[in-house]
Amino acid sequence: TKQQRYENASKTGVFAMEDKTLTSFPSDALKIPSLRILHIENCGLSKLPPDISKAGATLQRLELSRNKLSRLPDVAAALQNLQKLDVSMNVLEELPEPLFAAMAKLKEASLANNRLTAVPSSIAGAVSLKVLDLSHNRLRALPDGVGALASLEDLHLSFNSLPA
């Protein structure tokens, strides 16, 4: 039940939901103290609330694949403790410019299978990034900041419109 989900999440710091039909973001998830992992997959989610930034102090993993997200709120940049961001298989056309500026702890970002035409230059702020998946988008260029990511081990760029 819904109540059990929140009770368990309050104990573990993990809120997980898959293959449900959501009409809006489950805002009670952001009331969970010490929320570490927010996993909402294949639930038809079309937008994130501005108060997602409330989880900034504790949230380490934001996993929102296979939804209908068309944009991320600018305040997502406040998620400074994020280590994993998965927004693959959505309909994102752009990312907020400041998104990665304060994400120095981010190690993995999956932005694959969207409609992105650009990557914000703030990607240079993700200095701990090891894996960056930008495959299956509409990218025509990459910002210079990608080349400066010294920790980057895996960069996936297949199925884009990048020049050879």
Side-chain angles (χ1 to χ4, degrees), residues 1-16 28-29 31-33:
T1 67
K2 183 178 175 182
Q3 184 61 34
Q4 286 175 317
R5 178 180 290 121
Y6 291 108
E7 285 176 14
N8 288 341
S10 292
K11 291 176 189 168
T12 63
V14 178
F15 180 89
D28 286 349
K31 296 175 185 167
I32 296 167

Side-chain angles (χ1 to χ4, degrees), residues 31-43:
K31 296 175 185 167
I32 296 167
S34 301
L35 181 65
R36 295 179 301 107
I37 299 170
L38 180 58
H39 178 96
I40 301 175
E41 182 179 347
N42 194 32
C43 292

Side-chain angles (χ1 to χ4, degrees), residues 8 33 40 49 59 73 88 141 157:
N8 288 341
I40 301 175
L59 195 63
S88 61
L157 297 170

